[in-house]
Amino acid sequence: PGAPGEAGAPGAGFDGAIPQSISAVTPDHMFLARTIDVTISGYGTSWSSATKVDFGDAAIKINKITVASPTGLVVNITAARPTRARST
């Protein structure tokens, strides 16, 4: 075989940065009206004390966010009790 060729140009839209993503959230469920620590693991992340977390549900209260590493967060949350459906 011959000598290796020159490196090709990066693909369209690739700027050389590692794409950031969430690789795990544990535990993946909890009982209502409890407080637990949730661990969030990321890939290519650089979490800091300025990182914000939102689970997209007003019934989940974020009590504290601890940055364990640039790729790991520990989020203390409380899940509120469900409300009973009311007819109007």
Side-chain angles (χ1 to χ4, degrees):
E6 293 183 29
F14 183 72
D15 63 3
I18 297 172
Q20 297 178 347
S21 64
I22 293 176
S23 54
V25 177
T26 55
D28 61 355
H29 64 280
M30 70 181 289
F31 293 104
L32 296 173
R34 303 277 173 99
T35 297
I36 65 168
D37 287 334
V38 174
T39 302
I40 302 174
S41 302
Y43 176 80
T45 55
S46 303
W47 289 323
S48 69
S49 59
T51 299
K52 302 214 182 293
V53 175
D54 184 349
F55 288 97
D57 187 335
I60 299 175
K61 179 184 175 201
I62 308 294
N63 301 315
K64 182 179 180 183
I65 300 170
T66 303
V67 179
S69 72
T71 59
L73 292 175
V74 178
V75 184
N76 183 269
I77 64 171
T78 300
R81 293 183 188 271
T83 58
R84 293 181 188 244
R86 298 180 201 157
S87 59
T88 53

